[in-house]
Short mmCIF file of all heavy atoms in Angstrom, two decimals:
data_model
loop_
_atom_site.label_atom_id
_atom_site.label_comp_id
_atom_site.label_asym_id
_atom_site.label_seq_id
_atom_site.Cartn_x
_atom_site.Cartn_y
_atom_site.Cartn_z
N ALA A 258 1.04 31.91 40.91
CA ALA A 258 2.22 32.55 41.55
C ALA A 258 3.01 31.52 42.37
O ALA A 258 4.20 31.52 42.31
CB ALA A 258 1.81 33.68 42.45
N ALA A 259 2.26 30.66 43.05
CA ALA A 259 2.89 29.49 43.81
C ALA A 259 3.65 28.56 42.86
O ALA A 259 4.76 28.12 43.15
CB ALA A 259 1.87 28.76 44.61
N ALA A 260 3.04 28.27 41.72
CA ALA A 260 3.73 27.39 40.75
C ALA A 260 4.94 28.11 40.19
O ALA A 260 5.98 27.43 39.93
CB ALA A 260 2.72 27.02 39.58
N ARG A 261 4.86 29.44 39.92
CA ARG A 261 6.02 30.13 39.37
C ARG A 261 7.18 30.06 40.43
O ARG A 261 8.34 29.93 40.04
CB ARG A 261 5.64 31.62 39.11
CG ARG A 261 6.65 32.41 38.45
CD ARG A 261 6.17 33.80 37.91
NE ARG A 261 5.50 34.50 38.97
CZ ARG A 261 4.17 34.81 38.85
NH1 ARG A 261 3.44 34.45 37.92
NH2 ARG A 261 3.61 35.58 39.86
N ARG A 262 6.90 30.27 41.72
CA ARG A 262 7.96 30.17 42.74
C ARG A 262 8.57 28.81 42.84
O ARG A 262 9.77 28.67 42.95
CB ARG A 262 7.38 30.56 44.12
CG ARG A 262 7.00 32.10 44.20
CD ARG A 262 6.74 32.45 45.68
NE ARG A 262 5.59 31.68 46.21
CZ ARG A 262 4.35 32.14 46.14
NH1 ARG A 262 4.06 33.30 45.54
NH2 ARG A 262 3.39 31.44 46.69
N HIS A 263 7.70 27.72 42.65
CA HIS A 263 8.14 26.39 42.75
C HIS A 263 9.14 26.12 41.60
O HIS A 263 10.25 25.56 41.81
CB HIS A 263 6.99 25.41 42.63
CG HIS A 263 7.39 24.03 42.37
ND1 HIS A 263 7.77 23.17 43.41
CD2 HIS A 263 7.39 23.28 41.23
CE1 HIS A 263 8.06 21.95 42.91
NE2 HIS A 263 7.80 21.99 41.57
N LEU A 264 8.85 26.54 40.40
CA LEU A 264 9.67 26.34 39.28
C LEU A 264 10.95 27.19 39.34
O LEU A 264 12.08 26.68 38.99
CB LEU A 264 8.96 26.59 37.95
CG LEU A 264 7.88 25.65 37.51
CD1 LEU A 264 7.10 26.22 36.29
CD2 LEU A 264 8.48 24.30 37.25
N ALA A 265 10.85 28.49 39.86
CA ALA A 265 12.07 29.30 39.94
C ALA A 265 13.02 28.70 41.02
O ALA A 265 14.17 28.79 40.83
CB ALA A 265 11.64 30.71 40.42
N ASP A 266 12.55 28.12 42.08
CA ASP A 266 13.35 27.57 43.11
C ASP A 266 14.01 26.29 42.69
O ASP A 266 15.19 26.03 42.90
CB ASP A 266 12.49 27.23 44.41
CG ASP A 266 12.04 28.50 45.10
OD1 ASP A 266 12.65 29.62 44.77
OD2 ASP A 266 11.13 28.44 45.91
N ARG A 267 13.26 25.43 41.98
CA ARG A 267 13.72 24.07 41.61
C ARG A 267 14.41 24.02 40.27
O ARG A 267 15.26 23.19 40.01
CB ARG A 267 12.66 23.02 41.68
CG ARG A 267 12.26 22.69 43.18
CD ARG A 267 11.19 21.63 43.16
NE ARG A 267 11.46 20.46 42.39
CZ ARG A 267 12.23 19.38 42.87
NH1 ARG A 267 12.73 19.46 44.08
NH2 ARG A 267 12.43 18.36 42.08
N HIS A 268 13.92 24.84 39.39
CA HIS A 268 14.39 24.87 37.94
C HIS A 268 14.71 26.26 37.42
O HIS A 268 13.98 26.78 36.57
CB HIS A 268 13.30 24.18 37.04
CG HIS A 268 12.96 22.86 37.59
ND1 HIS A 268 13.74 21.68 37.44
CD2 HIS A 268 11.72 22.41 38.20
CE1 HIS A 268 13.08 20.66 37.98
NE2 HIS A 268 11.93 21.13 38.47
N PRO A 269 15.62 26.94 38.03
CA PRO A 269 15.87 28.33 37.62
C PRO A 269 16.33 28.47 36.13
O PRO A 269 16.23 29.57 35.59
CB PRO A 269 17.00 28.77 38.56
CG PRO A 269 17.65 27.50 39.02
CD PRO A 269 16.61 26.45 39.09
#
Side-chain angles (χ1 to χ4, degrees):
R261 185 167 56 242
R262 289 192 299 271
H263 169 81
L264 289 172
D266 291 344
R267 286 180 54 82
H268 308 284

